[in-house]
Amino acid sequence: MKITNICCIGAGYVGGPTMAVIAEKCPHIKVTVVDLNEARIAAWNDEDVNNIPIYEPGLNEIVAKARGRNLFFSTEVDKAIDEAELIFISVNTPTKTYGTGKGMAADLKYIELCARQIARVAKTDKIIVEKSTLPVRTAEAIKSILNNTGNGVQFQILSNPEFLAEGTAVQDLLHPDRVLIGGETSPEGQEAIETLVDVYAHWVPRERILKTNVWSSELSKLTANAFLAQRVSSINAISELCEKTEANVNEVAKAIGMDSRIGPKFLKASVGFGGSCFQKDILNLVYISKAFGLHEVADYWEQVIIMNDHQKRRFSKNIVQTLYNTVSGKKITFLGWAFKKDTNDTRESAAIYVADDLINEQANIALYDPKVGHKQVLSDLNYLETRQPAENEKYIKTFDDPYQACENAHAIAILTEWDEFKAYDWKKIYDSMLKPAFVFDGRNLLDPAEMRAIGFVYQSIGS
Ligand code: UDX
Ligand code: ADP
């Protein structure tokens, strides 16, 4: 099948950037990204390309180039499904908040709704690509819905997990380590795989495009994220040990990272990993393992999350203890709210949990994040349902200016590793704070010697 028309359902952090890059690299293919969320689509279509709903370095330039040429954002889901030969499903798959598997299994209702919608609308054969991270065997469910429509349309279902990391999405998409495509072993399945390979081959070297069966592809995505998260939890576990000894976790990370078998990446101790994927995917892995009665496997992976929760809690506890066992009525300034730098995404950000703990202790939180605003911060806190929204509002104040946010603060907590924090006039900040002026660096971002020379009581993770 030759592809001239692609539809992507879901204009989020995955669908938006991925389709923008496909459109940029394949000008002869019409790419339409659809979403039910009208405000989101309106933002993608905003005349000023700096107002697109997702902040990713380099994304606005690509959108500016392709939008209106062969890249379109729309709420007309049925029309886009009808026209496309290739449909990416890129909707959210949050962890279930109700019923069986609550707090663990992925909620597949959005996926199922998509499948039903495709089944209802499609009049010609189509290839359906699952792009959202999904539990193993989801393709089977999609297939069963699609193949029971009785209208004679043939569907092939492929798994094509996304490995982009937020903040570097555009570069990851332009130069992927690998592209993974899973499909059925039947001739039709193989043909569908080759069709998708041909799309990626416009810019990805063919030897980097890996073909597997559907289950391997689905499980590889969960496994990759579980391994990455495990590295962070492993180094964070060591960070606590370092704090009890004379060891420094940055030095340990460097020393072990030079072992070529271990490698230097993903060994940065932190206040804890966040993001929409790691926790959700591990919980999925745990849930599936349990479902198969593999309790040792489930417990093994669950420990990665237990360690991560501990790391976040430990960070807030340390702030309280260091500030003479009370933060009640004290001003604590958060620098950063996003789950990592260079993104406006806050899902599962460690900052949310640290703030929640400190609000329980009645701290007044002043916050500055270069890309996250007050509305989002409040919505993140309210989502936890720890207390009434009005109560959250009372305890948290966001600022547009970091220097103002720090004025008269008892302490600063660095929660996101934004580059701009390194360039601040820290002497000026010190002078404006109450003394002793504390800095809790949850990202080991600043130079301890310099900070201490200014006069700060400076604490980092793991030393
Ligand atoms: C991750 C995977 O990297 C990506 O391949 C997948 O497609 C989606 O999930 P993402 O969540 O966007 O990407 O960001 P990532 O860079 O993996 O960071 C995840 C979290 O781990 C962040 O909170 C980050 O700050 C934290 N982290 C990462 C550390 O604390 N230390 C590290 O050394 C690396
Ligand atoms: P991700 O990080 O996986 O991209 P997001 O939550 O950022 O997740 O994006 C998923 C998008 O999918 C949301 O904008 C949501 O409105 C959209 N969506 C969910 N279900 C449907 C559906 N049935 N049809 C169209 N869009 C949908």
Side-chain angles (χ1 to χ4, degrees), residues 35 62 69 71 101 167 176 234 271 286 333 350 359 390 399 408 433 439 444:
D35 204 296
I62 291 189
R69 178 188 75 186
L71 175 64
S234 296
V271 55
V286 170
T333 301
I359 294 176
F399 289 80
N408 293 319
M433 287 174 67
V439 171
N444 293 357

Side-chain angles (χ1 to χ4, degrees), residues 87-99:
I87 300 174
F88 286 87
I89 301 184
S90 206
V91 302
N92 35 336
T93 50
T95 303
K96 273 186 90 175
T97 53
Y98 56 88

